[in-house]
Amino acid sequence: MQSVAAALDRLGELAASPTVAKLAAAFEASGHELALVGGPVRDAFLGRPVSDLDFTTDATPDEILAIVKPIAEAHWDIGRAFGTIGAKIAGETVEITTYRADAYDGDSRKPEVAFGSSLEDDLTRRDFTVNSLALRLPKLELVDPSGGVEDLVAGVLRTPAAPEQSFGDDPLRMLRAARFASQLGFEVEDSTRRAMDDLAPAIERISAERVRDELSKLLLTGAPRRGIRLLVESGLADLVIPEVPALRLERDEHHRHKDVYEHSIMVLEQAIDYEKSRGVLDSPDLVVRLAALMHDIGKPATRRYEPGGSVSFHHHDVVGAKLARKRLRALRFDNDTIAAVSRIIELHLRFFGYTDGAWSDSAVRRYVRDAGDQLERLHIVSRADVTTRNRRKADQLGFAYDDLEERIAVLAEEEELAAVRPELDGQQIMAILGLAPGPIVGEAYKFLLEVRLDEGPIGTDAATERLRAWWASREPAGA
């Protein structure tokens, strides 16, 4: 947290930038107010990078357009119905929104949009005091009607209005509390926290798309543990992603198993570390984080008590993949994300068989083939799934995975593993066997693919011989 003077200096430098200065001058010349608002002002106090430039004004959307058109390289009004106009000015993207005075009826999933006339009223309708800060332009006057600076100093999340009113107006703010708790490392103030417990059921008024977006932002923070815990402890997770709180399996004094909920959060944290340190994926990676958090969600449904005090979770990988697909569909995730996350969950146990004995080259090829374009993410989640406190065991698993990756690299260089396919394609198969297009061609292709996976490259001539032998061995009725 920077001092107020240091923060104002940073904001003064930002106000002097070509984009902000040009925008402020244009609004002043038009006789309208303009203020930099929310995240940029907050982050200036926190010493964090200032990225998105959000402004608010007393001008209507039509008036905003009239002001920005002469100074913008581009502009768009996709958010016009909500009072927001976007523009590109001096090379930077900005959003300018008319003061809001939204009304909620308590049942609708969306507010009835209404425009306001006062900056102070607009700020007190925002989600948290630390986001209810503004800098009037061009005179550089800090506006803080709700004590946001004090809460920034204290590291506290608090609503400007009574939390019951704020969350009743927009229940998504409860999820935003969890996200900002993780993003900023702040604690939720007591009365705000109690209101989350009491009003958690109201989250069901919110569309799946808005919930999805807020959960994604939480998972994409640098340290999502605090926010996930807040969702689970408040009861919100039971309503939006119930598979996660279900991981808190009760313990039987006669049976032993690790705390699956704590384990899953540790896997998520370790996956984030691997995601960053390996440097292969763009970080943060939502697929990695969803798969890490949800990799064991099949355990509650598959738990069995075994003789001798142990607990088993047979096939929890397959069950978990199905549950993940169902949940992510309900949250309106895109098909690619759903397919990737469920595939990683389905395969996340495969590696642990590697430590039972060295895999054949065929097994390594199949591992790569089954992972497909999710191989790097599978590497990360599989490595992160090792949370044992037994240092020797952890080292053994780490060395084993190092060995697996080395073997994959060698085979990839020798055999082009990323594009494993038979030496003969469908057209060649039909020409050799004298077949017309049909299911039998697919069967022949699958046979040759299995040969390729088992034995590696064998050449076109050998593949032709194997194909003819396979064809000759088929039952007459199937020929």
Side-chain angles (χ1 to χ4, degrees):
M1 174 71 187
Q2 297 194 337
S3 68
V4 173
L8 290 175
D9 286 343
R10 284 193 73 196
L11 289 169
E13 294 172 5
L14 182 61
S17 69
T19 299
V20 180
K22 185 179 286 191
L23 197 60
F27 273 81
E28 184 179 40
S30 72
H32 284 288
E33 299 176 2
L34 184 72
L36 184 67
V37 67
V41 184
R42 178 199 68 214
D43 291 340
F45 278 90
L46 294 175
R48 295 161 56 94
V50 174
S51 51
D52 299 333
L53 294 178
D54 295 327
F55 299 86
T56 188
T57 178
D58 63 338
T60 66
D62 287 342
E63 290 168 337
I64 295 171
L65 271 174
I67 294 168
V68 302
K69 277 183 179 180
I71 63 171
E73 296 103 72
H75 57 83
W76 50 93
D77 61 358
I78 192 170
R80 187 172 187 158
F82 299 96
T84 299
I85 302 296
K88 188 173 184 180
I89 298 172
E92 289 194 79
T93 298
V94 301
E95 287 191 347
I96 308 107
T97 301
T98 305
Y99 296 154
R100 298 282 289 270
D102 297 343
Y104 295 76
D105 63 13
D107 294 314
S108 173
R109 292 186 173 210
K110 294 181 180 179
E112 179 183 339
V113 176
F115 299 139
S117 58
S118 162
L119 173 60
E120 287 77 7
D121 287 349
D122 176 277
L123 293 176
T124 56
R125 285 181 169 85
R126 292 178 179 254
D127 54 5
F128 302 103
T129 60
V130 297
N131 296 328
S132 301
L133 300 168
L135 184 72
R136 288 189 189 275
L137 299 169
K139 55 186 176 180
L140 305 184
E141 175 191 345
L142 180 67
V143 183
D144 178 17
S146 305
V149 172
E150 289 84 352
D151 287 343
L152 282 173
V153 172
V156 166
L157 289 172
R158 180 170 58 85
T159 56
E164 295 79 10
Q165 176 187 335
S166 182
F167 295 154
D169 281 350
D170 187 358
L172 188 71
R173 289 171 174 170
M174 294 184 285
L175 297 190
R176 288 171 63 83
R179 191 244 296 185
F180 283 120
S182 284
Q183 181 178 319
L184 305 177
F186 283 11
E187 295 290 340
V188 178
E189 178 266 338
D190 288 345
S191 63
T192 305
R193 175 67 183 78
R194 288 193 297 271
M196 291 176 67
D197 293 347
D198 296 340
L199 297 176
I203 198 65
E204 295 184 308
R205 286 168 34 204
I206 302 301
S207 69
E209 291 82 359
R210 293 182 73 205
V211 170
R212 173 202 63 209
D213 291 347
E214 204 56 55
L215 282 174
S216 298
K217 290 175 183 178
L218 165 58
L219 287 176
L220 292 172
T221 63
R225 173 186 285 267
R226 186 191 298 259
I228 293 169
R229 282 189 170 283
L230 189 54
L231 292 183
V232 170
E233 293 168 5
S234 65
L236 284 160
D238 290 319
L239 300 165
V240 299
I241 187 166
E243 295 79 7
V244 172
L247 294 171
R248 297 179 297 176
L249 301 177
E250 71 276 6
R251 288 178 170 270
D252 185 304
E253 61 180 308
H254 302 297
H255 295 83
R256 301 182 299 276
H257 62 84
K258 68 176 67 176
D259 185 327
V260 184
Y261 171 64
E262 282 297 323
H263 164 75
S264 297
I265 295 180
M266 286 183 64
V267 171
L268 172 61
E269 291 176 327
Q270 293 186 167
I272 291 172
D273 290 340
Y274 281 123
E275 170 198 292
K276 294 175 181 176
S277 64
R278 289 170 68 92
V280 177
L281 301 173
D282 291 335
S283 181
D285 186 280
L286 183 60
V287 169
V288 164
R289 298 179 184 208
L290 283 167
L293 179 63
M294 302 177 76
H295 76 285
D296 274 348
I297 61 172
K299 281 190 170 180
T302 58
R303 181 175 56 170
R304 298 292 182 272
Y305 295 120
E306 304 292 350
S310 63
V311 177
S312 67
F313 302 95
H314 296 308
H315 306 301
H316 78 267
D317 45 350
V318 177
V319 172
K322 291 179 180 178
L323 291 173
R325 281 193 291 272
K326 183 178 180 181
R327 178 54 50 198
L328 296 179
R329 285 194 193 107
L331 289 169
R332 304 291 193 271
F333 277 92
D334 63 276
N335 290 336
D336 288 344
T337 297
I338 294 170
V341 172
S342 59
R343 190 61 170 158
I344 294 166
I345 293 173
E346 185 177 354
L347 295 174
H348 82 275
L349 287 182
R350 182 81 65 87
F351 155 70
F352 291 94
Y354 190 83
T355 58
D356 297 335
W359 281 359
S360 64
D361 286 349
S362 172
V364 175
R365 292 186 194 102
R366 280 179 163 76
Y367 189 75
V368 174
R369 188 273 309 269
D370 292 347
D373 58 3
Q374 300 307 315
L375 182 61
E376 175 60 23
R377 286 166 168 153
L378 181 59
H379 287 334
I380 289 172
V381 174
S382 296
R383 285 183 177 275
D385 197 20
V386 178
T387 61
T388 177
R389 294 180 182 178
N390 184 321
R391 188 71 260 166
R392 182 178 178 183
K393 183 177 180 181
D395 288 344
Q396 287 176 337
L397 290 168
F399 295 148
Y401 211 97
D402 290 343
D403 183 65
L404 174 58
E405 288 205 66
E406 288 172 11
R407 290 184 64 191
I408 290 172
V410 170
L411 287 174
E413 185 175 351
E414 293 175 350
E415 305 179 10
E416 298 182 3
L417 274 188
V420 171
R421 56 178 59 88
E423 277 84 358
L424 303 175
D425 62 21
Q427 292 294 331
Q428 292 169 306
I429 290 170
M430 288 189 287
I432 292 167
L433 300 182
L435 296 174
I440 218 68
V441 179
E443 291 182 34
Y445 186 91
K446 184 177 180 180
F447 163 75
L448 290 175
L449 178 58
E450 290 299 314
V451 172
R452 172 71 173 81
L453 290 168
D454 285 337
E455 303 176 27
I458 61 174
T460 302
D461 291 344
T464 300
E465 290 180 14
R466 299 290 286 275
L467 175 64
R468 292 187 187 280
W470 172 81
W471 181 245
S473 69
R474 290 175 55 83
E475 292 292 331

